[in-house]
Amino acid sequence: MKILLIMDPGIPVPPVLYGGHERLVYLFAEKYQKLGHQVTLLAGPDSYCSGTTITFGTNDLDRSNQAKNKEIAFVWKYLYHNWHQFDLVHNFGRLIYLLPILNKKVNKIMTYGRPVSRRGIKIFTSLPNTNLYFTACSNYCVSTGNVAGKWQTVYNAIDFSAYTLNPNVSNNAPLMFLGRLDKIKGAHTAIQVAKATNNNLILAGNIPTTPDNLHYYKTEIEPQIDGKQISYVGALNDSEKNQYLQKAKALLFPIEWDEPFGIVMIEAMACGTPVIAFERGSVPEVVTDGVTGFITNTFDQMVNAVGRIYEIDRAACRALAEKQFDAGKIAADYLNLAYQDSVLTQHS
């Protein structure tokens, strides 16, 4: 099968630090290639994969609308001239990229990793279209856009071989929070849980740049970082994530929004580190209560769950997560969709 993967510019594929969706696109490109498929990646500057890579646009998340319109024009031109070379176009970028080939016979999967614009789905499915399938990274995420068209949940993934199981940690092992230090991610709650349970806490992630979240960081998070009980280690690359997560007794995930997936949860599980999370968004789909962590609804429940963390078998935690979320398994799910679904039939 000849596969075209598309990702928005802004962050290279794969990303150096932050960029969950970009990391996914790279993983799938590599898995497809290893399975013997011919992969072409269309993504921002400095992107690469084992197949063919074509770059466009600029790596700037704050780029102008004019720049984004030029990106659309580039993808439209490329697809207009080259769509017939592919059996599958798998788009992780903007839905509008697919407009020139919406009614072409090539198989098309549009994948979402965030809440979906229902208006966009209604518009696109009202146009003549064929061999078009929508996927999202959780049942919750599917529910935000499933107003028309064909939909299926295909979970996010990581490469479990890049993470090391640590089957045992000491009683004084730290708790960990890993994610953007935006208010909705709940770092302030993680700090409160650490203090209430007399545990050390490692904070890792990007310091926000938006005015409201930067103010939150400066006023609610930074003053509590003492380098002793509460430490901040910055944004982490994949190797550093593995290093810190495997040494933690648990990952705290006290989100204040409906998270579409939360890849950090399975990164922790891959190290055997259980997740203690609030029951929002996709959390009930990702965390198996009592096996890969604990699902909680209140601060007090999260505090109590920290005291129960040694009920979790860390090897069993990793084993179940790997069965559910390894990149090889999820890549196969996408290919099965392309091969077997009645809507998506291979043309080559």
Side-chain angles (χ1 to χ4, degrees), residues 144-204:
T144 68
N146 190 7
V147 291
K150 300 285 187 176
W151 284 82
Q152 183 163 315
T153 298
V154 181
Y155 290 119
N156 283 344
I158 62 170
D159 181 359
F160 274 71
S161 68
Y163 293 84
T164 306
L165 168 66
N166 183 2
N168 298 289
V169 295
S170 64
N171 289 335
N172 62 356
L175 299 168
M176 187 162 183
F177 172 93
L178 175 57
R180 291 195 323 271
L181 293 168
D182 294 353
K183 189 176 190 300
I184 60 171
K185 296 289 189 174
H188 56 289
T189 302
I191 291 172
Q192 293 166 7
V193 169
K195 291 183 175 180
T197 59
N198 196 30
N199 278 286
N200 292 337
L201 175 70
I202 295 172
L203 295 168

Side-chain angles (χ1 to χ4, degrees), residues 8-12 18-19 22 58-64 68 209:
D8 293 322
I11 298 173
Y18 175 75
E22 289 78 9
T58 57
N59 285 333
D60 178 4
L61 293 178
D62 296 319
R63 61 198 186 282
S64 66
K68 292 179 180 179
T209 56

